[in-house]
Structure formats: structure tokens, C-alpha cells
Amino acid sequence: MNTLATFAPSTPPSTAGSLNAQPVAWYEPAPRAATRCVKTTCPYCGTGCGVRVEVSGDDAAPTLALGGDSAHPTNRGKLCSKGSNLLETLDLDARLLHPELDGQRVDWDTALASASAQIRALIDQHGPDAFAIYCSGQLLTEDYYVANKLMKGFIGSANIDTNSRLCMSSAVAGHKRAFGADAVPACYEDLDLAELAVVTGSNMAWCHPILFQRIKAARAANPAHKLVIIDPRRTASCDDADLHLALKPGSDATLFNGLLVYLADRVKLDYDYIDDHTEGFGAALSAARASAPSVAAVAAACELDPADVETFYRWFAATPRTVTCFSQGINQSSSGTDKVNAILNLHLATGRIGKPGAAPFSLTGQPNAMGGREVGGLANQLAAHLELEDPAHRDLVGRFWGSDRIASRPGHKAVELFRAIEEGRVKGVWIMATNPVDSLPDADRVRAALAGCELVILSDCMAATDTAPYAQIRFPATGWGEKDGTVTNAERCISRQRALLPPSGEAQPDWWIISQIAQRLGYREAFDYQAPWQIFQEHARLSAFENHPDAIPRDFDLSAWAELDAAGYATLAPTQWPVSPARPSGTARLFESGRFYTASGKARLLPISPRGPVNAPDDDYPLVLNTGRIRDQWHTMTRTGLSPRLAANQPEPFVEVHPDDAARQQLADGALAQIASRWGHMLARVIVTDAVNPGQLFVPMHWTSQYASQGRMGPLVNPEVDPLSGQPESKQTPVRIAPFATAWYGFALSRTPLATDCAYRVRISGEQHSRLELADTQPVADWRGQAQQWFAQGELPQGEWIEYSDPANGSYRCALLENGQLQAVLMIGATPALPERDWLGSLFAAEALSDDQRRLLLSGRAPAGASAGPTVCACFGVGRNTITDAIRDQGLDSVAAIGQALKAGSNCGSCVGEIRQLLASAGQG
Ligand code: SF4
């Protein structure tokens, strides 16, 4: 095993507290062999990589060693930086370990009884639609299944939605319009077999790095392979591209409509396929021609070079083996569903679907957004790909579940759900494994809605989130490493997540918590689950129930597992659905026969009339804000934020600004800026770069109040949604930007966390220390007094002070040592130009500082060769200085040579672009 990380907990799992609720048998301690190997799945992105963990020692003090699972078909042993550092997120300090009621620890019986009584009272008094569940693509399929069954099957309301609404609901709506079912036709092997990969609306190199590696490997094996990136921003994915189309934000549908016209005009469509397997072609082509009649017209509308548009179109026309990967840049739009269908139109009109190396491919963001779709986790779906609004489908599910209370109309989708809470139409909400106060658009309004909500219940594995303060009842849920169940990845592959460790504290699996509430609401028989395999088996049986041409045929079919028992579940291998007795080993790609799940059996092409963003820039808000992910963080950082390695590469919220806009607004690289929209504002560190076009800004989505005082991007984002999918327009919000007028900049490193109340404050996890980046608009008259106050609040010991002050240039530096060991450092200056933090951070590992280290401490300058520099490769923790030194001293002249010498860039490859830049700077590029 290529071991990437090892872990031994600093805090032993707590066994305090008694469980009065019904005991469960789902966690079976493995025999205490010296070492056991657990195969599980990464809990972050929708790629769904297999992870292999060697566990040794007993449950109270285990030692874990983690690497990629070389037998898993998705990743074949590779992991990206996030997966590689999973063990750094397992410490218990940040976990929610006990049930809480109104902020007080209570036992499970008390918490469950209170929650169920309040839910029952709400429903009895105001009806089932007064209650809602807001859940998450982080849940396992078994959790999701039980939550959906409770809401839609027994409470009788479809008010259950999920943060997957923010991620891929436009893809769902597009698939259903075109194929008659929410079915992803492609498989990962298509990435290996394609000769043209079109990646649109995704920084795939960072957001799905393992899949991007497969494209790169295909290109290495086939020099004719082309890669086209379509993205308003130049991202790390563009480093490897043959062509980057930096189109005007929101103009994607015009670009794809133009391609349909181009192919029709050159007779490059598959007319047999169109005739035999599709309908709606004529209307789709007419609409395309109306909006995108020529290459010149497309180039003008998309603000692209006509030659580049022509090149893209020519390559597409010439390459039958084309895969079009699309993600949030397409989905997160007020016309996201139309954009999806513009892509699907192209693949249907060229017959490039259901064939090796030819398919449209929705890159799912979350680890189990697909599983959620299977069980009906969205407010407008029923379970098992059945339709809520179809009486026959409701009847089928009602008979299967033994319920006559099946919800009969769609519930509130995410954004409207929180509006309903704000307006008091929904009076109680149960939030599971997500953080809507940060991730939804117009997020401050969401926070206010929760603050005024009668009943907020929260199930989470983490104690401190921005949503937590608004919950009256908090249930501690098991986290990754303790969870046991299944997830489905972007290619429909169902994999097991297996427990490595027993639950921490009194944490319980989500399915158990939901089942306990359901039983207390009076539905004991339907929710009498003892283990996740029973839920999975029921889920598989529902997928098979009356699923044949004479009843209600549907794509989602797990009938081969309808009798799966505990032993079969324990050894379940990764398998792509549908999985039936005829296809017991699963199905790689769908629609190979050209038959679809519409009434006619033909796929539908849709007429697409492109629409721009709802809110256009104006004089007050002249710039367009784009949002997205960075390489080493996941969602709202509740877990990845705990990892020092993952925090090292991009430690602060930042905003990318084009040099022209930066000059116009007098923004300096490295300074702070305030970004404001009509809905909210945030503070971020300025990066001046031509990676964004003039008139556009980019900010990351990850920071919350737990890590940054004003780094949340959710409050900025306009709450416009796609009318079909309900997915928010998170990529295009009109904003303005201005310098943040600071009186001083600074940072503090300390062995214990410091409490500060600066206007700008970002907390960053470090090895044996915590770092704060600080700035404020108010000058500080007495820095020594201020430092002593902060250090005292951090409960640092009284010790030896070393101090330097130069009031004339606004500089103050101090350090606190105890018995020669560094306890804290504070560095203040008038500008952002302060010493590098990495060497100072590394000094916290020392028992006592050396004479050299003491001498250089307040200069912040590392002795030659002593600092690895800012982390470049988060998989192996390799710093910039280490790489540049090796380039210089060892004459390394390629990414491969650096990988061989230092390992950097040799795992997930997400840092290869940065390594190339270092080579170029050293004259080796
Ligand atoms: Fe996890 Fe990275 Fe694989 Fe995604 S690509 S599943 S984050 S290891």
C-alpha cells in the first residue's frame, strides 16, 4: 500500500454517558488481529475514490495508515490531497459527542423524546407541510433513504430537500427532460477512451483531480487526444488544455447552440440516430439557429476569438469519441437546465451517447449526491426514480412502504424552503450534515430565518458550525471513519463506506437517529431497522418492485441485490447500477440500445433560447462575481479545515482581480478588499491576476465564521434560481470591490488558540500551533498591552518575552517563550509585507529554540535551507523552497524529475501547474 498518512488520536474516543435509547447492533468490533485492512470510500467529492486503511491496536488507541485502494475501479490506488489527508481530520476535539437540548448535554432518550414531541405537535397543529428536513449529499444512501421515507411516506410532506440542490439539480432536470429519467449515461472508462474531452464549467484538475488524471493519462497514451476547457476563468485545468475558451459568463448555451448549427450546416450530425432514437430535433435546431446562426455571431455573443470557436467546433465535428464533462459552471445558473440540455442536444444529434468514449458526463460534486437522487432526496422526487406527481408511482411506493400518507405534491426546494421558514409557513426544520447558513445564497437571510424558526434540529458530527447556534436540539452523528453504508459516485458506481473505528462519544448513525424519531412518531414497524444492510436491502427491493415493462419500468434497478443479506453487504464490491439478475456485475454505460425512458422510448432534444443571468452588472455593482472551490478544501471546511497540510496552500479567503480592475480600484496584490453585492459583503485577500477577465472576480466558497471573521461568500450571492431545477445562480452576482482601509496588518502564531476581535481575522490550522491572520481599521496605541491581553486570553503561560518595536514605521514584533520553548509570536506592520509564516510555524515542534533560532526569531527569516516554504504539494507536504532548492541544486528540469526526487506532484497531480511555474521561474520551463 502506498501509505499517505498515518494517525494516532490525541484524544481517546470517549465512552462517557449512557445510552438509554434502544441499543443498536450495527457496529461489530472486528476481531483484534494485529492489523486489519478496511476498504472504504473517500467522503468528499463525487468521484468516489476507494480508500484502504490499515488499523492496528485496539479501539481505544488505534493506529491507522491510509492510502488509495488499488483495487477500486475509480482511482486504482490514487487519491487527491483531500483524500490523502483524511486521517488529519479524525481528532475528536471538534466533534459533537453528546446530544444537546437548548445548549445542555442530555441523554439520547431526552433528546429524541423532545424532538419527536415537538415535531408531532407542529404537524398536528399546522399540518405536515409545517415541518421540513434539509439534508445533504454527505449522507450515506441508507441515511437518505430513511429520511425520505419518513418525510414523503409517513409524515406525508415532500418538504425534504438537500444541499445537492446547490450542486447538480440542473443536471437532474436536464437528464429527465432529455432521457425521461435522471440517468448519467457515461462511465469513467469513457474518459480513458475519448479522443476529445470537453470540460465545461469545471476546474476539473482541482475539483475532480483523479478523473482529470485519467484524461491526462489518455492524452499521454494518444497524442491525437484533444482537451478543450470552457470556463470564463483560466484555471489549473487550462495548464493541460489544447484550447481554453474563456467565454463571457453565462453564454454557454449560445456556444453549444452554435455548435449544433455548425454541425448541421456541415452535415456532421448522425441523422440515422436522430431519426431512430430522438424527437424534437427540428425545433432544437431552429432555436439554435435563431440564437447562434454563425461562428461570428457566437464569437461576438460569447466574447471569444472566432478562430478559437471555429477550432473547437471543427475538433468536435471530427471526433466521434467525444466526452463533454460539465459541472457547477453549467448547473449553477438561472438557466442551468437549458444549458445542460444544450449539451445533451449535441450528444443526441451526433449519436455520441451509450458508446465507448462518447457521452455527456455530469460531474457530480458531492460524495453521495447520486445516492440521494436514487432514494428521492430532492423535494420534487419520490424514491427509486419514481415521480411524486404521478398517482401510479405514489400508489406503488405506498403499497411497498405500507403507507397511505404518501406526499402528493412537490415540497419546497432549498432556497424557497428557507423563505418558507422566514415567512413562518414552515415552522420546524431538521438539518442534517450541512451548513445552510454558509452555503446557500443570500446566506445572512438564511441565518435570520433560522434565528426566527420555532424548531431547529441539527444532526452533525461537528460541534462548531455556523448553523449550530440556531439549533435547539443537536444530535451527534457519526463521522467518516465511523459511518457504515453505501455511496454512489458520478458514474453510478455504488461503493461501501465502512467503519474503521467505533462511534466517538455517544454519536450514532443518521439512519438510527431518524429511525428513532420515526418510531417515536408512531411508525415503529416501518422503521424497525437494526443495521444498515437491512435498509439497503429494502432500497434494492423497492427499485425492483414492479419494475418491468408491464408495470412501471424505470432505469434505477438494484434487483440483483433484493435478497442481499448482512454477509453479502459486508463484502459488496463497487458496482455500477443498474444491477439485475441479467447483469449481476452491473452496467458500465446506459442507452447502448438507443432506447430511453420517455413514453415513446426516444430521447428528446429541447429548443434552447439562451438567457443571461437574472441580475446584470450596473453602475453600482459593475463586476460579475464567480465562486468556486479550491484545491485542498472541501465545502465549508468543517473537516478539511482541521488539517494543517490542507490549510497550507491557500490559507485565507481571497479574491482574484484582473490587473485593469485592480488598477482602477487601487487594489494592491496581498492587501485586503471588501466585496459587496446588494445582498451582503465579505473581506478577502487580493490576488491580482489575469486568470480572470476584466470585469470579473472569483472568490472561493469555503470560509465560514468558524475560520474567518468576514470571509463567507454565501451572503454575497444573489438568490436567483433556475425555474425548473431550483438551482441557485451562484456563479454570476453583480458586485463591487474596494480596498479595505486597514490601519495595520499582522499575524499571530500560538500554541493555544488566541481570542481576538479584529475586523479581519482568519484562523489557520498548523502543526502544534494555530495561526491567525489579522488586520483592522483602528490603530493600536499600545501593542505590548494588546499582545499581553491576547496572549492571556489564549491562556499562554507567563514566560520570557522577546520584543522589537519601531513605532515610526508601524512595526511591532514579539515572542513568548517558556523554558526555551516557543509559545507565541506576534508580527505587526503597516503593510501586508510581513515575514513568511512557515519557518516560524515549524519552530513550534522544537522542545527548545536553538541560539540561531532565537537570534532570527523576530526577523522571521529562516536560516538558509531551514524552511520548506509554503506548501505546494499537499499530498506529500512538499514546500516551495524545497522544490526551488532541488531545481537549483540537483538540476531538476521537469515535473517528472521533481516527482521522482521529492514525490511532489506524483500523486493526484493537482499541484503540477504550480510546479511548472516554479520550473519556468528557474528557467527550466
Ligand atoms: Fe476524495 Fe479526492 Fe477522490 Fe474526490 S478525487 S473522492 S476528494 S480522493
Side-chain angles (χ1 to χ4, degrees):
M1 180 170 67
N2 175 22
T3 300
L4 288 158
T6 56
F7 166 83
S10 58
T11 314
S14 165
T15 52
S18 63
L19 256 184
N20 297 321
Q22 185 180 326
V24 291
W26 62 272
Y27 177 75
E28 292 177 20
R32 293 274 77 87
T35 299
R36 63 198 161 99
C37 171
V38 181
K39 289 191 170 192
T40 184
T41 311
C42 175
Y44 297 126
C45 85
T47 302
C49 294
V51 177
R52 188 172 184 272
V53 185
E54 286 180 359
V55 186
S56 51
D58 61 25
D59 283 345
T63 300
L64 310 180
L66 175 146
D69 178 2
S70 56
H72 198 288
T74 292
N75 53 315
R76 304 163 184 165
K78 285 187 175 288
L79 293 174
C80 79
S81 58
K82 295 180 283 292
S84 301
N85 289 291
L86 268 165
L87 298 185
E88 282 200 357
T89 69
L90 291 186
D91 259 340
L92 299 184
D93 292 347
R95 288 287 301 276
L96 179 63
L97 295 173
H98 309 285
E100 288 182 5
L101 183 58
D102 294 327
Q104 301 299 313
R105 178 178 168 179
V106 294
D107 61 34
W108 269 107
D109 267 346
T110 305
L112 292 166
S114 175
S116 54
Q118 292 188 68
I119 294 169
R120 172 54 67 204
L122 275 184
I123 293 169
D124 288 349
Q125 198 177 347
H126 304 287
D129 288 335
F131 183 64
I133 291 178
Y134 185 64
C135 51
S136 161
Q138 305 285 309
L139 292 177
L140 303 185
T141 299
E142 292 75 4
D143 306 323
Y144 243 134
Y145 178 88
V146 177
N148 186 58
K149 180 178 175 182
L150 173 61
M151 273 311 290
K152 293 195 185 122
F154 288 83
I155 288 178
S157 167
N159 277 346
I160 173 167
D161 213 51
T162 156
N163 61 10
S164 298
R165 178 73 61 192
L166 319 179
C167 164
M168 51 67 212
S169 54
S170 293
V172 173
H175 287 155
K176 287 172 80 166
R177 284 207 300 188
F179 307 147
D182 174 23
V184 175
C187 60
Y188 293 157
E189 190 192 35
D190 290 331
L191 301 174
D192 309 334
L193 299 175
E195 295 191 313
L196 170 63
V198 180
V199 177
T200 178
S202 166
N203 180 7
M204 196 175 174
W206 282 10
C207 299
H208 293 83
I210 298 303
L211 299 183
F212 198 67
Q213 287 291 312
R214 288 181 76 148
I215 292 178
K216 285 173 71 172
R219 286 165 61 72
N222 176 7
H225 188 296
K226 295 274 191 297
L227 172 62
V228 177
I229 304 290
I230 302 170
D231 195 315
R233 192 167 67 107
R234 192 179 71 242
T235 66
S237 305
C238 301
D239 293 344
D240 293 288
D242 298 293
L243 180 64
H244 171 211
L245 297 175
L247 78 179
K248 180 183 170 189
S251 64
D252 319 64
T254 303
L255 182 69
F256 293 120
N257 270 357
L259 178 50
L260 187 66
V261 173
Y262 180 95
L263 297 171
D265 289 350
R266 285 154 186 81
V267 201
K268 293 290 185 184
L269 299 173
D270 185 335
Y271 292 97
D272 289 342
Y273 194 91
I274 291 171
D275 286 346
D276 294 345
H277 302 297
T278 75
E279 54 197 19
F281 170 71
L285 182 60
S286 296
R289 208 177 280 289
S291 62
S294 65
V295 168
V298 169
C302 299
E303 297 178 358
L304 291 168
D305 183 334
D308 287 345
V309 175
E310 175 90 31
T311 300
F312 168 46
Y313 286 3
R314 192 160 30 82
W315 287 351
F316 195 101
T319 318
R321 286 186 176 230
T322 296
V323 170
T324 304
C325 301
F326 60 97
S327 194
Q328 318 311 8
I330 294 293
N331 297 337
Q332 289 180 334
S333 160
S334 58
S335 55
T337 307
D338 279 353
K339 289 174 181 170
V340 169
N341 283 110
I343 293 168
L344 302 186
N345 281 352
L346 286 165
H347 279 267
L348 291 168
T350 52
R352 295 178 190 173
I353 187 166
K355 295 172 184 159
F361 204 160
S362 160
L363 297 178
T364 316
Q366 298 201 76
N368 200 31
M370 291 283 277
R373 287 148 76 167
E374 291 157 15
V375 304
L378 292 163
N380 50 330
Q381 297 176 328
L382 206 44
H385 282 203
L386 288 156
E387 294 300 324
L388 194 64
E389 288 169 282
D390 188 322
H393 290 206
R394 291 201 301 272
D395 174 68
L396 182 153
V397 175
R399 283 186 286 112
F400 183 84
W401 280 343
S403 171
D404 57 2
R405 285 185 298 279
I406 305 294
S408 58
R409 61 173 188 273
H412 295 302
K413 300 184 180 100
V415 172
E416 65 191 36
L417 169 62
F418 285 87
R419 283 294 145 75
I421 292 171
E422 178 187 72
E423 292 164 9
R425 287 179 284 128
V426 168
K427 298 177 186 304
V429 62
W430 185 356
I431 298 166
M432 300 175 189
T434 186
N435 205 358
V437 158
D438 294 314
S439 51
L440 276 165
D442 199 3
D444 284 346
R445 194 167 168 184
V446 170
R447 183 163 62 184
L450 283 181
C453 185
E454 236 172 81
L455 173 64
V456 180
I457 303 168
L458 181 64
S459 299
D460 209 314
C461 60
M462 308 307 286
T465 70
D466 287 354
T467 302
Y470 303 98
Q472 297 96 12
I473 299 173
R474 297 209 287 161
F475 293 135
T478 45
W480 182 85
E482 302 164 359
K483 285 160 97 82
D484 197 47
T486 56
V487 289
T488 306
N489 73 6
E491 62 159 358
R492 292 170 281 102
C493 184
I494 296 174
S495 293
R496 287 293 316 276
Q497 240 187 55
R498 294 184 172 93
L500 318 170
L501 302 167
S504 299
E506 295 182 51
Q508 290 284 3
D510 287 282
W511 64 261
W512 182 88
I513 303 168
I514 301 160
S515 300
Q516 289 290 313
I517 292 290
Q519 291 184 26
R520 283 164 169 79
L521 289 173
Y523 316 125
R524 177 170 294 277
E525 206 179 316
F527 292 87
D528 190 20
Y529 303 113
Q530 302 301 313
W533 70 266
Q534 297 168 330
I535 303 166
F536 186 81
Q537 190 209 60
E538 181 180 312
H539 170 53
R541 281 193 286 113
L542 176 55
S543 79
F545 188 57
E546 299 178 7
N547 186 355
H548 52 78
D550 299 330
I552 302 178
R554 48 207 192 264
D555 61 332
F556 182 67
D557 180 3
L558 306 182
S559 53
W561 293 333
E563 303 300 327
L564 195 76
D565 59 10
Y569 187 71
T571 56
L572 199 69
T575 308
Q576 287 172 269
W577 65 259
V579 49
S580 61
R583 292 188 166 201
S585 53
T587 310
R589 48 185 73 78
L590 301 181
F591 310 130
E592 286 171 309
S593 68
R595 183 155 184 84
F596 295 84
Y597 284 89
T598 57
S600 66
K602 292 185 171 186
R604 298 186 203 106
L605 281 87
L606 276 295
I608 303 302
S609 301
R611 288 175 283 126
V614 171
N615 294 302
D618 56 22
D619 289 347
D620 290 335
Y621 299 95
L623 305 169
V624 176
L625 181 75
N626 185 2
T627 63
R629 291 196 228 154
I630 62 172
R631 191 186 81 185
D632 295 339
Q633 293 296 343
W634 176 253
H635 278 195
T636 53
M637 294 171 59
T638 47
R639 287 172 298 173
T640 49
L642 301 172
S643 163
R645 267 197 191 176
L646 294 178
N649 187 257
Q650 286 172 299
E652 293 176 82
F654 60 85
V655 55
E656 290 182 352
V657 191
H658 188 273
D660 294 352
D661 292 319
R664 198 170 299 119
Q665 299 299 330
Q666 299 180 309
L667 294 164
D669 192 71
L672 295 175
Q674 181 171 57
I675 308 128
S677 74
R678 288 198 170 79
W679 296 271
H681 70 273
M682 71 178 285
L683 294 181
R685 188 78 68 176
V686 173
I687 298 176
V688 178
T689 171
D690 62 3
V692 290
N693 279 333
Q696 299 171 28
L697 304 178
F698 173 83
V699 298
M701 61 173 280
H702 306 288
W703 273 268
T704 70
S705 302
Q706 303 302 315
Y707 285 97
S709 53
Q710 299 186 60
R712 296 160 64 232
M713 65 89 210
L716 280 170
V717 175
N718 53 196
E720 309 298 342
V721 300
D722 179 289
L724 293 170
S725 69
Q727 183 149 0
E729 187 148 71
S730 303
K731 300 288 187 190
Q732 288 130 33
T733 301
V735 294
R736 63 183 174 223
I737 187 167
F740 184 60
T742 52
W744 53 268
Y745 287 86
F747 69 86
L749 310 178
S750 68
R751 205 168 281 281
T752 59
L754 300 184
T756 63
D757 55 358
C758 307
Y760 182 79
R761 189 194 69 246
V762 179
R763 180 168 61 88
I764 300 143
S765 299
E767 297 283 2
Q768 299 181 48
H769 71 280
S770 165
R771 167 175 148 203
L772 290 176
E773 290 291 332
L774 304 166
D776 207 306
T777 54
Q778 300 302 313
V780 174
D782 171 17
W783 271 112
R784 176 183 291 182
Q786 180 69 85
Q788 287 175 340
Q789 186 199 342
W790 284 345
F791 289 4
Q793 284 170 353
E795 297 178 5
L796 288 162
Q798 296 295 314
E800 178 191 358
W801 278 83
I802 309 174
E803 198 175 22
Y804 163 84
S805 179
D806 183 356
N809 70 10
S811 181
Y812 176 82
R813 299 179 181 189
C814 71
L816 175 64
L817 288 82
E818 188 193 32
N819 299 326
Q821 187 185 51
L822 184 60
Q823 300 297 318
V825 184
L826 178 67
M827 302 259 172
I828 303 296
T831 72
L834 291 163
E836 280 200 359
R837 286 64 162 165
D838 307 275
W839 176 69
L840 289 168
S842 72
L843 299 182
F844 284 83
E847 287 287 320
L849 298 188
S850 68
D851 288 347
D852 260 9
Q853 288 168 336
R854 282 180 67 104
R855 190 168 46 77
L856 293 169
L857 185 59
L858 291 191
S859 76
R861 276 197 297 273
S867 170
T871 298
V872 173
C873 171
C875 293
F876 294 112
V878 186
R880 188 199 297 155
N881 296 349
T882 306
I883 297 172
T884 50
D885 289 352
I887 292 171
R888 186 192 58 227
D889 299 341
Q890 300 176 40
L892 305 181
D893 59 0
S894 68
V895 171
I898 289 170
Q900 203 160 22
L902 305 173
K903 286 189 166 180
S906 66
N907 187 48
C908 73
S910 303
C911 61
V912 163
E914 216 170 327
I915 294 173
R916 279 201 195 115
Q917 282 173 12
L918 295 176
L919 283 163
S921 304
Q924 299 283 13

